[in-house]
Amino acid sequence: MIKCGECGYENMDGLDYCDGCGAKLAVGAAAPAPAAESKPAGEVKAGGDSAGIAPTSVSSVPAEIPAAAADAKPDGETPTAEAPKSEAPTGEIKPEAAPESAPSAPTAAAAGAPFKAKLSVVRGGRKGQEFPLEEGNNLVGRWDPETGSFPEVDLDADDPEAKISRKHALIRIDAGKITIEDIGSLNGTYVNRQPRLAPGSPAEIKSGDEVIIGKTFLKLVVETIS
């Protein structure tokens, strides 16, 4: 047996290094050299060969596991990257959304509010006679099957002097707007006693306007349907 001069461990003959502390053994020495410093059992001397060290003398588990090692994934498993958060970082000020402006209330005509319109005779014919107007085109004139004139506003009974043409004017209701257009009449079409309308040039009219066809005076009446 060879006794280690460092730790006193008795080793088998033929070993060059101590199984207890790994120190170099003095082969053939009768007595171990006095140890300058006592080494704890299981400590491996720097620069020494680790071969032959008894595993039971050295602790294999460190006292404290580093944080990085604790978070390590098992072998073969790829760490999953966390999806970026959509929330703003702490302390960041988010701009306030501009308040939506309330839409202005459209007029009844622009919004397509339902209404009914009519022409009422006020002078030169059957006073108080009314002619309802339809959505779209309304022909103003006198009934005549020979020429194919079948006007929506038939003024034949209100025109004893035949001053109104068979196809005199056209009143159109479209998208809440009412227009009147002379379509080549002989005696012309007038609105509010203004100059004669040029044929083919529609003019917008509104409730209360006066329309003169020949010698017949009519008033436009528009009533909103609630």
Side-chain angles (χ1 to χ4, degrees), residues 65-82:
I65 301 176
D71 293 338
K73 299 294 182 180
D75 293 342
E77 180 178 348
T78 304
T80 303
E82 294 185 0

Side-chain angles (χ1 to χ4, degrees), residues 90-111:
T90 304
E92 180 179 347
I93 300 176
K94 295 183 179 180
E96 295 183 0
E100 297 182 0
S101 57
S104 57
T107 61

Side-chain angles (χ1 to χ4, degrees), residues 102-192:
S104 57
T107 61
F115 64 88
K116 58 182 179 180
K118 61 184 178 181
L119 287 176
S120 177
V121 178
V122 295
R123 180 182 173 187
R126 297 169 295 171
K127 188 175 181 179
Q129 179 67 30
E130 296 180 346
F131 300 92
L133 300 176
E134 303 173 357
E135 183 78 15
N137 294 332
N138 295 267
L139 179 63
V140 181
R142 292 187 294 121
W143 181 82
D144 184 7
E146 293 183 3
T147 60
S149 175
F150 303 98
E152 284 74 23
V153 181
D154 184 6
L155 299 174
D156 186 64
D158 300 280
D159 183 39
E161 299 181 20
K163 298 294 183 179
I164 299 174
S165 300
R166 297 295 181 184
K167 296 180 180 180
H168 196 107
L170 184 68
I171 296 178
R172 180 175 178 79
I173 301 177
D174 183 30
K177 185 169 68 172
I178 306 175
T179 59
I180 185 169
E181 173 187 352
D182 188 276
I183 52 177
S185 67
L186 181 62
N187 294 307
T189 303
Y190 303 82
V191 177
N192 294 329

